[in-house]
Amino acid sequence: MSPFDYIRATSIGEAVQAGRGEQVRYLAGGTNLVDLMKENVERPVTVVDITRLPLGGIEELDGGGLRLGALAPNADTAWDERVEQSYPLLSSAILAGASPQLRNAATNGGNLNQRTRCYYFYDVATPCNKRQAGSGCGAIGGVNRIHAILGASEQCIATHPSDMCVALAALDATVRVLGPDGERAIAFADYHRLPSDEPWRDNTLRPGELVTGIDLPVEVFTQNYTYLKLRDRLSYAFALVSVAVAMRLEGGTIAEVRVALGGVAHKPWRKPEAEQQLRGVTPSPHAFGAFADALLDGAVGQGENDFKIPLARKAIVRALNQAADATPQSQTDKRVA
């Protein structure tokens, strides 16, 4: 681990002021940042400890909805009664991730900003454009079983590792940030980036900006939903493919549906235009299969991860069936229902 300056912020304003600069990192739960620092993947000049800031609560918004504090632990969020009752998809997705110990330490804001688990990103002896611009992408033509099939570029084929973020994408959440230029509200679809020619940029945060909360709009996805996660083992593993479905049925037909994929791209993958083809449709394997084809249009394997394309298609159809039948995937008994 490289030497760094340490600042413990006592106010949000102090944290924002201290957070200016490219080589400054905010420290919250530390479940990802500290690991990266130990491996010399992250070498911040300054670490700003924000753990004492008043951003740990979960509040009801005027007019409905919830605001999740950026420093609220993942476990507290998943088990919050209001989240369980009104946003069970989010609770399920959080419980599908990591381990109980990590969920107790990891924060909501940190979950949004965690970095890829690409092998080459973590190995400083290998080329990685995300870690060192212009060095190349070792995963292209290398070991790429866990890598992206959608939205990748010639510069990077890494995937975003979060489970929570896949559910937030399906729920149309909004990220609240505060920075040197004031407050901003970022639609969740616009928060994370595809790699394009700047793969080192994971999101659209500006220098010095601090995530302060996540707003959940008023929704009615409490019955027909699911979070399906397919992985190499049933606990403490990142998704090969995951599917978050939020659905509302009226009179036996689909009135509203949102589907987001995890483990397949540099950000949670969603196509609102493809979702339109399911609205007003009676749930059926044929309709779900056609939607899966539309959602995966343009998917390209890299060799070792070619299997992800048919796996994702089957997962999408299975998840849509689970949601339509109101039989969400259990995160206690993780075997696929």
Side-chain angles (χ1 to χ4, degrees):
M1 183 183 290
S2 299
F4 58 89
D5 293 330
Y6 171 84
I7 298 172
R8 177 179 289 178
T10 58
S11 69
I12 296 175
E14 181 184 352
V16 170
Q17 182 63 31
R20 294 171 179 263
E22 292 294 331
Q23 298 301 316
V24 180
R25 296 292 183 268
Y26 290 121
L27 175 68
T31 58
N32 186 211
L33 176 63
V34 173
D35 283 347
L36 292 172
M37 290 173 65
K38 288 178 179 178
E39 298 293 335
N40 281 319
V41 176
E42 289 273 11
R43 294 181 170 186
V45 173
T46 303
V47 172
V48 181
D49 184 339
I50 60 172
T51 55
R52 270 62 173 183
L53 303 186
L55 298 173
I58 297 176
E59 304 173 354
E60 297 180 14
L61 296 171
D62 294 339
L66 289 179
R67 175 165 296 170
L68 311 176
L71 293 179
N74 288 173
D76 289 2
T77 303
W79 295 114
D80 185 278
E81 183 177 358
R82 295 161 295 180
V83 174
E84 288 186 289
Q85 290 181 355
S86 300
Y87 307 94
L89 172 60
L90 177 59
S91 180
S92 181
I94 294 173
L95 294 175
S99 65
Q101 295 90 339
L102 285 171
R103 292 195 297 266
N104 285 335
T107 64
N108 293 334
N111 193 296
L112 265 62
N113 295 320
Q114 65 180 298
R115 309 211 67 190
T116 183
R117 265 55 178 193
C118 171
Y119 319 122
Y120 297 92
F121 177 69
Y122 268 76
D123 185 351
V124 295
T126 64
C128 173
N129 288 320
K130 180 177 283 293
R131 189 186 64 249
Q132 183 179 353
S135 63
C137 176
I140 297 176
V143 180
N144 50 47
R145 185 173 180 274
I146 66 171
H147 288 75
I149 56 174
L150 290 162
S153 74
E154 295 180 355
Q155 302 293 318
C156 179
I157 59 171
T159 59
H160 193 270
S162 174
D163 292 293
M164 178 181 182
C165 288
V166 184
L168 291 173
L171 292 170
D172 272 343
T174 300
V175 183
R176 313 290 305 193
V177 305
L178 178 66
D181 297 325
E183 292 184 275
R184 280 204 301 151
I186 307 173
F188 204 82
D190 299 327
Y191 185 79
H192 297 102
R193 297 179 67 257
L194 294 178
S196 63
D197 58 354
E198 294 181 308
W200 52 90
R201 294 183 59 210
D202 293 340
N203 53 54
T204 55
L205 285 176
R206 299 167 185 165
E209 283 190 325
L210 173 69
V211 175
T212 59
I214 304 162
D215 288 357
L216 301 174
V218 179
E219 300 289 3
V220 188
F221 297 121
T222 55
Q223 183 174 1
N224 299 102
Y225 71 92
T226 195
Y227 185 72
L228 176 62
K229 180 178 181 179
L230 304 181
R231 47 196 152 181
D232 285 324
R233 59 182 185 273
L234 290 181
S235 64
Y236 195 36
F238 294 99
L240 294 169
V241 174
S242 64
V243 189
V245 178
M247 182 185 293
R248 187 173 72 253
L249 297 177
E250 292 179 2
T253 62
I254 300 172
E256 177 73 17
V257 66
R258 300 176 192 163
V259 182
L261 303 181
V264 299
H266 200 257
K267 62 182 288 185
W269 189 261
R270 193 178 157 206
K271 279 187 180 179
E273 64 274 17
E275 295 164 4
Q276 291 285 349
Q277 72 186 53
L278 285 178
R279 294 189 176 100
V281 172
T282 301
S284 71
H286 175 75
F288 293 160
F291 168 77
D293 291 337
L295 187 56
L296 293 171
D297 183 43
V300 177
Q302 296 289 334
E304 290 186 0
N305 70 345
D306 290 352
F307 74 96
K308 276 193 175 188
I309 300 175
L311 180 67
R313 188 184 190 280
K314 293 176 181 178
I316 294 164
V317 173
R318 177 66 63 89
L320 285 165
N321 276 315
Q322 287 182 349
D325 293 341
T327 55
Q329 177 66 40
S330 170
Q331 302 306 341
T332 302
D333 179 0
K334 295 181 170 68
R335 292 173 295 180
V336 176

